[in-house]
C-alpha cells in the first residue's frame, strides 16, 4: 500500500527454465539410411485444439496425426482435469491417414516446372466431425476435407448358392416344356391384363430361386476429398497462407502480392497488398511472410526482405503504404556489410495467441514486437551468433538463404526456432527471463545443452556488444564446443497450442518433445 490509495504490485518472478524430454518420433532413420528427397518434411501445423497435427513433405503428401492420450479416457483434457481424472503425462499422437495433395506440374506458357513440395498447411474450422485444411505448393492452394466413412459390403445372401442353382435349373426346364407365343414387342397375343397379372403374382412361400444380397457396415475408412482448388492467382511462388478468424476467408502471399480469398469461391480473389513497382528495376524489397491477426478479422501483418513488418487494416486502403503501421529496427551506423540485408530478411512471422505480440525470425535472431510500440523490438534473441564469422562460407554454399520458422507457446511465455546440426532453441520471453535452451532433434534432446545461456537483449547497445564479443568464438564449433553441420538443418517446428509440447522436423523424421 502507498498512502492508503495505491497498491504497488510486487515484481513477478520469471518462470523457471523447462526440462525437455523426448516423447515420440515418426519416420526415424536407421544408421546409414539414405533419405529420399521427396520424404523430407516441409511443413508442420497443429490445429487449434491441439488434437491433430499435419505435416507436408516435398513429395506433395500430407500426413495427419491424431492425439490418443485423451481419446483413450473418453474426454477432452480440460474436462478430465475438471473431474480430477488421472491423465497422461504428455500428449501422445498416432498416425491417422495421409493423402497426395499436389502433383508435379509444368507451366507450358512459361516453360516452368512446378514442384509438388508442400510450402504451408493451415487448419480450418471443423464441421460435422470432418477435418478441413488448406495446403499449398508454389502456385496452387487446395482445400481438403477429411472424413470417416463407413465401408458397406455385401456380407451374405438369403439363399445357399448350391440350392439356388438347382431351383434355377428346374424353373428354366419347366418353362421350356410349355412354350408360349410372344409378339415382337414383348407382349402376349390374346391375353388380358388380369390373366397376365395373375401369372406374375408371387406364391405364398415366395420364389425360392430369388437371390437378395444383405449389406452390412464394416470398418470405417478415412477419405480425403479436395473441395476447392485456388489457382492462377500468383505469378510468383506462394510463401505463406493464413486463415482469418471469421472462418470464411484466408490470404495467400507471394513475393510481391497478397490476395484475399473466400473459402467457398475458388475462381476469384482480391489483391489487397501489391508492392510490385512499375519498373522491376526499382524493386527494393519483397514480401516474405504474411499472417492474419488471431482475433481481429480486418487486421494482418506481413514481413519483408528488408527486416521490417507492416500491420495493415483491411477497412482502409491496404494497397497504400501510408495506411500501414511500420515496425523496423534502425540500422546502427558503421555496421553495414555485404551480408547486412541478406541476414536481415525475415523468413517467418507469428502472432501471439492474444494478438498483441508478433514474433519474427531473420537469419541470425528471433525478435519479439509489441504491436503498440513501433520503435523497435521489445526483445531480441541470438539464435546462432557463433555463425557470424562464417557468413562468407554460408553465402558460398547458399545456406545463408535458408528460411527458418518460429513459434510461440500458447501462454506466450516462450518462443522457439531452429538452427543447424538439427538443433532448435527455446527462449523465455517474459521480462527478466534468462531461459535459453539448446535442444537436439534426437531421442536425447538435452545432449547438446548450452551450459551458459545468453540473456535476451532488450537494448540495441547490449545486443551489439554481445555480437562483437561472441564473434571471436571458434568458427568450427557452436557455443557449447560442438561442431556444426550445415547440411542438417531444422527449418520447421510447431508449438502445441495449449501445452508444453513441441513438434519439429529433421529431414524425414518428426520428433515430439514435452516438458
Amino acid at each position: 500500500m502507498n498512502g492508503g490509495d495505491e497498491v504497488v504490485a510486487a515484481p513477478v518472478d520469471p518462470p523457471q527454465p523447462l526440462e525437455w524430454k523426448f516423447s515420440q518420433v515418426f519416420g526415424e532413420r536407421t544408421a546409414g539410411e539414405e533419405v529420399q528427397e521427396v520424404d523430407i518434411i516441409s511443413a508442420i501445423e497443429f490445429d487449434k485444439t491441439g488434437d491433430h497435427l499435419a505435416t507436408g513433405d516435398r513429395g506433395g503428401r500430407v500426413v495427419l496425426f491424431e492425439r490418443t492420450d485423451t481419446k483413450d479416457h473418453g474426454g477432452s483434457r480440460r474436462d478430465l482435469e475438471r473431474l480430477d481424472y488421472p491423465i497422461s503425462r504428455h500428449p501422445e499422437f498416432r498416425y491417422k491417414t495421409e493423402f497426395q495433395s499436389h502433383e508435379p506440374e509444368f507451366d507450358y506458357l512459361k516453360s516452368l516446372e512446378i514442384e509438388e513440395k508442400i510450402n504451408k498447411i493451415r487448419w480450418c474450422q471443423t464441421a460435422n466431425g470432418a477435418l478441413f485444411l488448406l495446403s499449398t505448393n508454389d502456385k496452387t492452394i487446395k482445400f481438403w476435407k477429411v472424413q470417416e466413412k463407413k465401408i458397406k459390403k455385401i456380407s451374405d445372401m438369403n439363399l445357399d448358392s448350391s440350392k439356388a442353382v438347382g431351383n434355377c435349373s428346374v424353373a428354366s426346364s419347366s418353362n421350356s416344356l410349355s412354350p408360349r407365343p410372344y409378339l415382337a414387342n414383348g407382349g402376349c397375343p390374346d391375353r388380358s391384363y388380369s390373366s397376365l397379372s395373375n401369372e406374375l403374382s408371387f406364391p405364398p412361400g415366395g420364389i425360392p430361386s430369388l437371390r437378395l444380397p444383405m449389406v452390412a457396415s464394416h470398418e470405417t475408412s478415412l477419405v480425403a476429398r479436395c473441395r476447392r482448388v485456388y489457382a492462377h492467382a500468383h505469378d510468383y511462388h506462394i510463401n505463406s497462407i493464413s486463415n482469418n478468424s471469421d472462418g470464411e476467408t484466408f490470404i495467400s502471399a507471394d513475393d510481391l502480392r497478397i490476395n484475399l480469398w473466400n473459402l467457398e469461391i475458388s475462381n476469384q480473389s482480391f489483391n489487397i497488398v501489391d508492392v510490385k513497382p512499375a519498373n522491376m528495376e526499382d524493386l527494393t524489397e519483397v514480401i516474405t511472410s504474411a499472417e492474419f491477426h488471431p482475433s481481429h478479422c480486418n487486421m494482418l501483418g506481413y514481413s519483408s526482405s528488408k527486416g521490417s513488418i507492416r500491420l495493415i487494416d483491411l477497412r482502409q486502403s491496404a494497397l497504400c503504404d501510408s495506411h500501414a503501421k511500420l515496425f523496423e529496427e534502425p540500422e546502427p551506423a558503421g555496421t553495414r556489410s555485404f551480408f547486412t540485408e541478406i541476414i536481415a530478411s525475415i523468413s517467418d512471422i507469428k502472432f501471439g495467441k492474444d494478438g498483441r505480440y508478433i514474433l519474427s525470425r531473420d537469419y541470425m535472431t528471433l525478435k519479439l514486437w509489441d504491436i503498440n510500440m513501433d520503435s523497435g523490438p521489445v526483445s531480441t534473441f541470438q539464435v546462432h551468433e557463433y555463425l557470424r564469422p562464417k557468413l562468407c562460407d554460408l553465402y558460398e554454399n547458399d545456406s545463408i538463404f535458408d528460411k527458418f520458422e518460429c513459434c510461440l507457446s500458447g501462454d506466450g511465455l516462450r518462443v522457439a526456432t531452429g538452427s543447424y546440426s538439427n538443433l532448435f532453441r527455446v527462449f523465455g520471453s517474459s521480462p527478466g527471463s534468462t531461459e535459453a535452451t539448446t535442444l537436439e532433434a534426437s531421442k536425447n534432446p538435452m545432449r547438446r545443452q548450452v551450459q551458459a545461456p545468453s540473456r535476451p537483449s532488450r537494448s540495441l547497445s547490449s545486443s551489439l556488444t554481445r555480437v562483437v564479443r561472441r564473434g571471436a568464438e571458434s568458427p568450427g564449433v557452436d557455443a557449447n564446443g560442438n561442431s556444426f553441420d550445415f547440411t542438417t538443418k531444422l527449418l520447421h517446428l510447431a508449438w502445441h497450442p495449449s501445452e508444453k509440447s513441441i513438434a519439429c522436423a529433421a529431414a524425414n523424421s518428426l520428433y515430439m518433445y514435452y516438458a
Side-chain angles (χ1 to χ4, degrees), residues 310-328:
R310 285 176 172 84
L311 199 63
I312 63 174
D313 192 328
L314 297 182
R315 292 169 295 188
Q316 299 174 343
S317 176
L319 292 172
C320 181
D321 260 355
S322 62
H323 292 132
K325 189 174 183 179
L326 179 65
F327 300 86
E328 61 182 350

Side-chain angles (χ1 to χ4, degrees), residues 237-287:
H237 290 177
I238 299 172
N239 55 47
S240 54
I241 53 176
S242 179
N243 303 85
N244 199 345
S245 57
D246 62 9
E248 298 178 356
T249 56
F250 70 94
I251 56 172
S252 59
D254 63 22
D255 290 345
L256 300 179
R257 293 187 177 94
I258 300 177
N259 293 333
L260 177 68
W261 301 82
N262 188 297
L263 283 169
E264 300 300 321
I265 303 173
S266 61
N267 60 356
Q268 184 183 40
S269 64
F270 299 93
N271 180 220
I272 56 175
V273 175
D274 191 344
V275 300
K276 184 179 180 180
N279 184 357
M280 285 296 285
E281 293 181 357
D282 299 330
L283 182 67
T284 59
E285 62 181 327
V286 297
I287 299 169

Side-chain angles (χ1 to χ4, degrees), residues 407-466:
C407 59
L408 299 91
S409 61
D411 55 15
L413 298 178
R414 293 174 179 85
V415 297
T417 190
S419 182
Y420 294 101
S421 301
N422 282 343
L423 301 179
F424 65 100
R425 306 206 67 191
V426 179
F427 298 95
S429 57
S430 57
S433 175
T434 59
E435 182 176 359
T437 308
T438 301
L439 304 163
E440 182 182 38
S442 67
K443 289 187 176 180
N444 183 13
M446 306 292 285
R447 183 170 69 91
R448 301 178 68 159
Q449 173 64 25
V450 175
Q451 298 301 322
S454 60
R455 171 75 172 89
S457 66
R458 285 188 173 268
S459 67
L460 192 59
S461 60
S462 63
S463 174
L464 289 175
T465 303
R466 181 163 56 255

